[in-house]
Amino acid sequence: MQLVVGRIGKPHGVRGEVTVEVRTDEPEARFAPGTVLRTEPGATPPPTTDEPGVPFQVPAELTIEEARFHQGRVLIAFDGILDRNTAEALRGTLLVVDSADVAPPDDPEEFHDHQLVGLAVVTPAGERLGEVARIDHAPSSDLLVLRRPEGRTALIPFVRAIVPEVDIAGGRVIVDPPAGLLDL
């Protein structure tokens, strides 16, 4: 499974550096110099090149030459991206890593989103409520987006009082919802 760790934004300066919208909890590790990131297959930024008639092709992989934090943003220089025009052609490209390359968290109470998506959601009595469709990261708490069997979705706060157990090996999340939570 491919995990998005960033999205390339606008160029910064004239030497090929770009801004990156961070989509990872570990930007220092993911964007370290020397790191090779794959680009999202099918990402097609506007074709530009210095040569007329030759569209720019986004490389399948980009190697980070230098990364720095500046005014709350990550600025990255990629190997071989040497000018503003080429950097502009990368705009909108998603940077991805393979989930198999991501180490599991050290804390047994912490989970990566991709570990939870697709797990069955059941009550403590074993009644199936649906499955985890995605995780929404809200300011107050993360939310499990539950895909209900009838096709609706429900939001479940990912807090211990409501989600007492996550059993990755067993493929399930045990949820003890208060009355009416799934009817919203």
Side-chain angles (χ1 to χ4, degrees):
M1 167 187 262
Q2 298 296 312
L3 304 176
V4 177
V5 296
R7 185 176 76 62
I8 297 176
K10 64 183 180 179
H12 181 80
V14 296
R15 295 195 173 119
E17 201 170 40
V18 294
T19 61
V20 172
E21 175 190 321
V22 176
R23 295 189 183 173
T24 177
D25 289 343
E26 303 169 326
E28 294 83 7
R30 295 281 167 244
F31 302 122
T35 302
V36 177
L37 297 171
R38 289 183 221 136
T39 58
E40 177 65 36
T44 52
T48 60
T49 184
D50 289 337
E51 299 177 44
V54 180
F56 175 80
Q57 292 286 326
V58 175
E61 296 181 337
L62 292 168
T63 302
I64 296 174
E65 190 172 280
E66 181 183 344
R68 61 191 172 99
F69 291 85
H70 177 69
Q71 296 180 348
R73 294 185 292 184
V74 178
L75 302 177
I76 295 181
F78 291 107
D79 187 38
I81 307 300
L82 304 174
D83 62 57
R84 186 175 182 91
N85 290 338
T86 308
E88 179 64 41
L90 294 175
R91 186 188 289 226
T93 299
L94 297 177
L95 302 170
V96 299
V97 296
D98 193 315
S99 62
D101 298 337
V102 177
D106 294 331
D107 183 353
E109 297 295 314
E110 187 177 320
F111 306 97
H112 292 297
D113 291 2
H114 72 275
Q115 293 177 294
L116 300 171
V117 172
L119 294 182
V121 177
V122 299
T123 65
E127 176 190 352
R128 185 174 171 84
L129 300 173
E131 75 174 36
V132 178
R134 69 176 189 276
I135 312 301
D136 284 353
H137 300 281
S140 60
S141 73
D142 293 338
L143 298 166
L144 297 176
V145 178
L146 173 66
R147 184 180 307 115
R148 302 280 287 152
E150 65 274 7
R152 294 184 311 113
T153 60
L155 299 177
I156 300 173
F158 195 16
V159 295
R160 182 176 297 285
I162 299 173
V163 184
E165 183 180 345
V166 175
D167 181 6
I168 300 288
R172 65 189 184 141
V173 176
I174 297 175
V175 173
D176 191 9
L181 178 68
L182 301 178
D183 298 327
L184 297 176

